[in-house]
Amino acid sequence: MKLLYDGENMMKKIIIFLLSLFILMSCVNAIDTSNWTKATVGYEMFVIPPQYENPYSSDFNMYEFDEDIDFFTIRYINPRIMDIYGYDIEHYSKINKVKVAGHDAVHFTTYDRHDEANNSKLWFSAGEEFYYIAWRGENITPTIKAIVKSASDSKYTHDEFYDILNQEYQNYKIVDAIESQRYDYPTTDSGSHSFVSIGTNGIGFGIIS
């Protein structure tokens, strides 16, 4: 009986130790953002790390720290989800579904030979809007997590979030195929041009005189 009792006590001590270690690690990884500046992008106010203050450009759609958009950028994407997400899918070498600060997200990474550096881009939603953060590096750092955490919770479920992005990519491929076919035919001198549009009623195309 005593051996059984000692074993139970040892197990309790191990569990308490592991829980304490987990709490300690969480505190170490936590970042104090109370003295960080803030910037509004789209419909969200994001915290901005000290190293990325004083941006090269900042407006409703984008906070761009450097002229090189890959260095550090927060962007509101809703007006152009289809073409930007489609481009990223086809041009980034690694794509992973991740969870960051409670947000479903897609993490893109690639190596830029020109800059000789790894670039990352993290797509996520806040409220009903979509955003991405671009930065140098291939890891989702505590700093990036803190920025995402400062945004509102997404109003989309896990499945809804990825379904929206998947549908946008399917639309991108359809439009790309239509555009490619247009260039396979000779142009006329009629002054007309064709168009492709995507809306709530589906994909449409035609000719405008």
Side-chain angles (χ1 to χ4, degrees):
M1 291 293 294
K2 187 175 186 303
L3 288 176
L4 180 60
Y5 177 76
D6 289 342
E8 290 176 349
N9 274 346
M10 181 60 69
M11 184 60 68
K12 289 180 181 178
K13 290 179 180 179
I14 291 174
I15 293 173
I16 292 172
F17 172 76
L18 291 175
L19 287 174
S20 301
L21 183 62
F22 175 77
I23 294 171
L24 178 62
M25 291 300 295
S26 298
C27 293
V28 169
N29 291 328
I31 293 180
D32 180 11
T33 62
S34 59
N35 62 342
W36 289 13
T37 59
K38 296 181 179 181
T40 298
V41 181
Y43 299 95
E44 293 293 321
M45 182 173 289
F46 294 92
V47 294
I48 304 297
Q51 65 268 37
Y52 300 128
E53 293 178 3
N54 304 314
Y56 165 79
S57 176
S58 180
D59 56 31
F60 178 81
N61 292 306
M62 185 157 34
Y63 180 97
E64 189 177 355
F65 174 70
D66 189 84
E67 187 174 6
D68 182 351
I69 196 172
D70 294 323
F71 198 88
F72 177 80
T73 298
I74 302 175
R75 184 169 184 174
Y76 171 58
I77 330 166
N78 270 57
R80 297 184 58 195
I81 295 178
M82 182 190 74
D83 55 324
I84 298 177
Y85 188 73
Y87 178 90
D88 288 350
I89 284 281
E90 297 192 351
H91 288 81
Y92 277 77
S93 57
K94 295 180 181 179
I95 307 169
N96 291 302
K97 292 181 178 180
V98 294
K99 194 89 169 180
V100 179
H103 292 254
D104 290 304
V106 180
H107 181 208
F108 294 91
T109 55
T110 194
Y111 181 76
D112 189 324
R113 294 181 181 180
H114 179 266
D115 294 327
E116 297 183 344
N118 290 303
N119 293 331
S120 281
K121 188 179 285 187
L122 187 76
W123 281 66
F124 62 99
S125 64
E128 296 180 346
E129 313 299 322
F130 281 75
Y131 300 83
Y132 76 60
I133 303 173
W135 72 96
R136 283 274 191 262
E138 58 182 347
N139 297 317
I140 302 173
T141 64
T143 296
I144 298 301
K145 293 177 182 178
I147 298 171
V148 176
K149 186 178 180 181
S150 69
S152 302
D153 292 339
S154 174
K155 290 188 177 180
Y156 299 116
T157 65
H158 173 87
D159 289 340
E160 288 172 341
F161 173 78
Y162 290 112
D163 284 347
I164 290 171
L165 292 180
N166 288 337
Q167 185 58 57
E168 293 291 347
Y169 180 54
Q170 296 306 313
N171 292 342
Y172 172 87
K173 290 194 295 183
I174 292 171
V175 171
D176 186 59
I178 295 172
E179 292 286 351
S180 297
Q181 290 179 4
R182 284 173 53 192
Y183 291 114
D184 288 339
Y185 294 93
T187 58
T188 67
D189 296 327
S190 64
S192 302
H193 66 275
S194 58
F195 70 88
V196 180
S197 65
I198 292 186
T200 55
N201 294 323
I203 297 174
F205 53 92
I207 297 175
I208 299 177
S209 297

